[in-house]
């Protein structure tokens, strides 16, 4: 069984994983633990790989592959972590590509069971581990986002906060001076609605 954690909200755009998933398979006495994690940045992916190494410090290998961003201009990486070149990260990555999903990291942690698998066996084993965890994934859609800074009269601050809550927008820095300066990140598809509200209420909008 693959435990599935809390899911991300459903938004429009290219396919991304809805939630983290863990799977485990055993092949010729070697134990393969596969982690699937939704990620959007390389630093986020590397932090998860480091977490896997801390969680399983006695494992033989911690191999991974990730794909980030729109499929038209995606950023990708893979790592064999000491396995023969091309036998771990690449088969993991190939499964990710085959599934047509992005903003995803798959880490496969291996405990050697005493039976050598050979290069072909390793390719099949790491591919099988990636397939096991990716076969459980539920997809949601991701869209581009835009960040705007608003100069909001004090009386309208709660109006903007309510709009952000209703549209699943993220509030960033909020500072108080002659007015309330609010940095807000929303989906591109919601930008026109926000600009219309600001125009109606005479709220100045700038890009940071």
């Amino acid at each position: 069984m693959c435990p599935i954690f809390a899911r991300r909200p459903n938004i429009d755009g290219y396919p991304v994983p809805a939630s983290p998933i863990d799977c485990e398979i055993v092949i010729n006495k070697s134990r393969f633990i596969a982690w699937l994690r939704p990620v959007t940045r390389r630093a986020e992916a590397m932090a998860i790989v480091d977490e896997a190494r801390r969680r399983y410090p006695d494992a033989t290998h911690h191999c991974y592959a990730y794909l980030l961003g729109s499929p038209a201009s995606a950023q990708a990486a893979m790592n064999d972590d000491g396995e023969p070149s091309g036998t771990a990260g690449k088969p993991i990555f190939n499964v990710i590509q085959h599934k047509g999903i992005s903003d995803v990291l798959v880490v496969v942690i291996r405990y050697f069971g005493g039976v050598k698998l050979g290069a072909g066996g390793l390719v099949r084993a790491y591919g099988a581990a990636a397939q096991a965890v990716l076969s459980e994934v539920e997809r949601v859609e991701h869209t581009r986002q835009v960040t705007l800074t608003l100069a909001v009269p004090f009386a309208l601050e709660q109006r903007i906060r309510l709009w952000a809550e209703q549209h699943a927008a993220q509030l960033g820095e909020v500072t108080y001076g002659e007015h309330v300066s609010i940095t807000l990140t929303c989906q591109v598809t919601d930008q026109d609605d926000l600009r219309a509200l600001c125009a109606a209420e005479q709220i100045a909008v700038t890009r940071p």
Side-chain angles (χ1 to χ4, degrees):
M1 291 293 293
C2 299
I4 301 176
F5 304 89
R7 68 179 58 179
R8 301 197 308 182
N10 189 9
I11 50 182
D12 296 328
Y14 60 85
V16 299
S19 62
I21 307 172
D22 294 349
C23 276
E24 182 175 335
I25 63 174
V26 176
I27 298 176
N28 287 346
K29 299 184 179 179
S30 279
R31 179 185 177 201
F32 294 87
I33 302 165
W35 283 9
L36 180 150
R37 298 291 183 268
V39 292
T40 56
R41 302 183 308 277
R42 180 185 182 278
E44 185 182 2
M46 292 300 93
I48 293 168
V49 173
D50 289 341
E51 179 189 349
R53 289 173 176 149
R54 289 192 301 270
R55 184 84 63 88
Y56 301 100
D58 55 340
T60 318
H61 304 281
H62 305 78
C63 307
Y64 67 85
Y66 64 71
L67 189 65
L68 308 177
S70 169
S73 57
Q75 175 186 358
M78 60 197 81
N79 189 287
D80 296 313
D81 193 34
E83 294 281 30
S85 179
T87 63
K90 185 172 177 55
I92 296 170
F93 181 72
N94 286 345
V95 178
I96 292 173
Q97 278 195 312
H98 180 71
K99 293 295 183 181
I101 197 168
S102 192
D103 285 355
V104 61
L105 164 74
V106 174
V107 184
V108 179
I109 301 112
R110 181 191 180 193
Y111 281 89
F112 179 56
V115 178
K116 292 185 177 181
L117 302 180
L122 288 171
V123 169
R124 290 188 292 274
Y126 279 100
Q131 176 66 32
V133 75
L134 281 157
S135 67
E136 298 290 333
V137 72
E138 180 182 348
R139 303 174 183 218
V140 293
E141 300 298 308
H142 175 73
T143 190
R144 293 183 300 115
Q145 296 183 322
V146 62
T147 299
L148 303 172
T149 298
L150 314 181
V152 183
F154 289 96
L156 295 175
E157 178 184 0
Q158 291 305 313
R159 177 84 177 274
I160 295 300
R161 288 182 177 273
L162 177 61
W163 186 94
E165 180 180 345
Q166 291 173 336
H167 293 80
Q170 299 176 354
L171 289 178
E173 183 178 4
V174 178
T175 58
Y176 296 89
E178 294 182 1
H179 53 258
V180 185
S181 177
I182 299 177
T183 299
L184 185 152
T185 300
C186 66
Q187 295 179 44
V188 169
T189 51
D190 289 329
Q191 182 181 186
D192 288 347
D193 184 79
L194 176 60
R195 288 185 179 275
L197 170 62
C198 291
E201 299 292 351
Q202 298 184 332
I203 297 172
V205 180
T206 63
R207 287 180 179 269

